[in-house]
Amino acid sequence: MAILNIRIIGDPVLRTVADPVTDFGPELAKLVADMTETMEDVDGAGLAAPQIGVSKRVFTYRIDGVEGHIINPVLENSDDFQSDQVEGCLSIPGLGFPVRRFRATRVTGFDVNGNPVSVEAEGLLARCFQHENDHLDGILYTDRLEGEDRKAALRSIRNANYDSITEQTTTKRARTVGSSFGGSSFGAGAAGTAG
Ligand code: ZN
């Protein structure tokens, strides 16, 4: 297992719609294991594969002791919303804003062995699923902000020196991604564009 480098906003992989997983082999098992270890290392609530440079539809989650992963997730959201809660994102360090999310969701998909899975979620877990699933469609939570929050977020992102953060992170986690999913072919893009 390995701790992977987390991609920061500005990296094009975060804006790319991820591809479905078709091969449930040892490489996928390694990816899920590495993502889980990385998520634990940074004490994250969730991690989507594009965040470590792999454009595949995979995310891991860890909320209130409930930990897992979903391959090729499909969400069925409730019609109503939960109360807004502040979200952050490992790919947008230092920022947090309240985000509107559906109250509940049911995620269906597959586990690492290709077995179908289905998880019903409310509250924080439902929020996490929606946040991570957005990553697989190239969407960041700041895209979902409106009004003054959106302006403030875009301003912060513009002013942040994410290039130096990326360098620090890279130095701190000087290990190779070593993925044959093609993740290492994505370099750091222009910093500070929130799209
Ligand atoms: Zn995120």
Side-chain angles (χ1 to χ4, degrees):
M1 299 216 287
I3 308 284
L4 306 171
N5 191 30
I6 290 172
R7 303 302 178 95
I8 304 298
I9 188 169
D11 191 316
V13 72
L14 294 173
R15 291 310 195 177
T16 304
V17 176
D19 296 322
V21 169
T22 52
D23 184 3
F24 288 78
E27 282 173 19
L28 180 67
K30 181 175 177 355
L31 174 69
V32 170
D34 288 348
M35 283 175 63
T36 302
E37 194 183 8
T38 303
M39 173 179 68
E40 290 170 351
D41 180 63
V42 296
D43 203 20
L47 190 65
Q51 291 184 277
I52 47 98
V54 176
S55 198
K56 291 280 177 185
R57 304 191 78 80
V58 178
F59 67 69
T60 58
Y61 60 92
R62 194 179 67 131
I63 298 281
D64 295 335
V66 181
E67 192 169 310
H69 66 273
I70 308 274
I71 318 289
N72 297 342
V74 176
L75 266 56
E76 281 173 73
N77 297 318
S78 61
D79 295 327
D80 52 340
F81 296 90
Q82 53 180 277
S83 58
D84 291 358
Q85 299 239 14
V86 173
E87 287 182 27
C89 180
L90 296 168
S91 296
I92 316 176
L95 233 60
F97 285 94
V99 186
R100 196 174 200 220
R101 297 288 186 188
F102 295 105
R103 181 186 54 81
T105 191
R106 184 166 72 135
V107 59
T108 53
F110 300 88
D111 70 11
V112 71
N113 299 311
N115 301 311
V117 291
S118 173
V119 183
E120 309 256 357
E122 290 187 1
L124 261 188
L125 188 58
R127 179 173 292 278
C128 172
F129 286 165
Q130 291 167 70
H131 179 117
E132 301 309 331
N133 196 61
D134 272 354
H135 274 300
L136 307 184
D137 292 326
I139 297 168
L140 300 172
Y141 81 90
T142 45
D143 301 344
R144 299 202 176 275
L145 302 177
E146 292 172 1
E148 288 306 311
D149 279 355
R150 185 178 176 82
K151 281 187 206 159
L154 296 186
R155 196 163 46 234
S156 298
I157 290 164
R158 234 181 357 254
N159 293 337
N161 192 353
Y162 285 126
D163 278 344
S164 73
I165 289 170
T166 306
E167 278 165 25
Q168 285 163 17
T169 312
T170 308
T171 309
K172 190 177 152 213
R173 310 184 190 290
R175 302 176 210 197
T176 51
V177 171
S179 165
S180 56
F181 286 115
S184 53
S185 65
F186 289 95
T193 47

